[in-house]
Amino acid sequence: MSFKDKVVWITGASSGIGEALAYEFSRQGATLVLSARRQEALERVKSNCTNPDQHIILPFDLIDAEKEAPGLVDTILTSMKRIDILVNNGGVSQRATAEETSLELNRKIMEVNFFSAVALTKAVLPQMIRQHSGHIIVMSSIAGKFGFYLRSAYSAAKHALHGYFESLRLETEKQGINVTIICPGKIKTNVSMNAITSSGESHSQMDPSHETGMDPLSCAKVIIDAVKANKEEVLVGGKEIRAVSVKRFFPKLFSKIIRRQKPL
């Protein structure tokens, strides 16, 4: 599979895995639509991409995805004529217990991490069906495979992504639409810095486990190889991703191990 001249829309493109994916997709010849909240950060990423003049930025907040999605898609189609790949990468993590996380914050985390991906996908899907081709990439997490301390709403949103997009895959594969779900483990990004606490403010601390995590560019290369191979799901990270297999095949052992892990 070649990405040359493919139009790739990436959310959460201003940093972390999204930024790394932008560099790798552009290096391989794709034309990019870069989205996130911060226009200045998107401009920086665009300028560092291969062939920056052929890419566009489209800033918006994922919390507004339901309202903004149709207009955003119209803007892209007017400029680029098509959308070949949608990367639902943007999101926010959590650092608060279930007890201290308000229902309002639970809804916000679900809105940003789950409903935004659904809204953008639903807006893009009719055009992909018309062109009888398209690829939806969904950024889940190993927290989409099992719950963990201080991640109740975040883990719930990631679990929801699996149910929704596995169903979507079955419904649209005969129309030429592919779906790949990515489950990162510990990647060296600002995800823990930007995580929401019980007060609604940012955690503003780098978790030690993320500080020593996989480099985002290495992660991006694994993801792009998975997309090229049309894999349905891929785990990416270090030794922490082994926990998914342990839970599946040795659930009692997993229960003992997970209780010994540090929350951060």
Side-chain angles (χ1 to χ4, degrees):
M1 178 181 179
S2 171
F3 297 116
K4 183 172 174 55
D5 300 325
K6 298 290 186 183
V7 177
V8 181
W9 185 11
I10 306 173
T11 66
S14 61
S15 64
I17 296 174
E19 178 178 358
L21 284 170
Y23 298 149
E24 190 62 21
F25 271 121
S26 67
R27 188 185 68 81
Q28 297 197 31
T31 299
L32 305 180
V33 180
L34 304 174
S35 290
R37 288 179 299 170
R38 298 174 294 150
Q39 180 164 343
E40 299 83 358
L42 290 173
E43 294 282 8
R44 175 186 57 80
V45 173
K46 176 186 170 184
S47 68
N48 289 330
C49 285
T50 305
N51 300 319
D53 291 342
Q54 72 184 35
H55 313 308
I56 65 170
I57 65 169
L58 206 58
F60 76 100
D61 193 327
L62 287 174
I63 201 76
D64 301 320
E66 181 181 0
K67 176 179 65 177
E68 299 285 348
L72 294 168
V73 170
D74 286 345
T75 298
I76 296 170
L77 294 179
T78 298
S79 177
M80 304 294 192
K81 310 305 179 188
R82 60 188 293 120
I83 301 170
D84 296 293
I85 300 173
L86 170 64
V87 184
N88 284 306
N89 169 73
V92 63
S93 192
Q94 176 191 20
R95 295 296 182 275
T97 66
E99 180 185 10
E100 65 189 7
T101 301
S102 68
L103 191 57
E104 180 184 2
L105 277 180
N106 275 281
R107 286 196 173 108
K108 179 178 180 179
I109 292 168
M110 287 295 296
E111 194 70 46
V112 172
N113 289 339
F114 174 68
F115 284 109
S116 69
V118 172
L120 295 176
T121 298
K122 285 179 68 65
V124 165
L125 201 58
Q127 182 265 334
M128 288 186 170
I129 290 173
R130 285 194 297 272
Q131 68 191 28
H132 207 71
S133 67
H135 205 130
I136 309 295
I137 301 171
V138 184
M139 201 62 62
S140 178
S141 166
I142 59 170
K145 294 293 191 178
F146 53 83
F148 193 60
Y149 296 106
L150 310 183
R151 312 286 199 281
S152 54
Y154 176 76
S155 183
K158 296 303 186 179
H159 276 71
L161 288 174
H162 285 261
Y164 185 89
F165 284 95
E166 286 173 5
S167 299
L168 182 72
R169 180 191 295 123
L170 296 175
E171 294 170 356
T172 60
E173 60 186 357
K174 290 183 179 178
Q175 295 162 298
I177 313 302
N178 299 317
V179 175
T180 299
I181 301 175
I182 310 298
C183 301
K186 303 299 183 182
I187 312 298
K188 192 175 182 180
T189 70
N190 289 331
V191 65
S192 59
M193 295 279 292
N194 300 325
I196 294 177
T197 64
S198 60
S199 68
E201 302 298 320
S202 295
H203 181 55
S204 300
Q205 298 178 42
M206 176 71 82
D207 291 352
S209 57
H210 283 280
E211 183 67 50
T212 58
M214 175 184 277
D215 174 72
L217 283 172
S218 299
C219 175
K221 289 176 181 178
V222 173
I223 292 170
I224 286 183
D225 285 346
V227 174
K228 285 182 175 180
N230 192 25
K231 290 186 177 181
E232 294 187 356
E233 184 175 292
V234 63
L235 298 163
V236 54
K239 62 183 181 180
E240 70 279 358
I241 65 175
R242 300 174 190 166
V244 176
S245 295
V246 175
K247 184 177 190 295
R248 179 180 178 185
F249 296 109
F250 308 100
K252 289 185 178 180
L253 175 61
F254 173 84
S255 293
K256 293 179 180 178
I257 293 173
I258 201 69
R259 283 170 169 77
R260 299 174 189 156
Q261 304 306 302
K262 294 181 180 179
L264 302 177

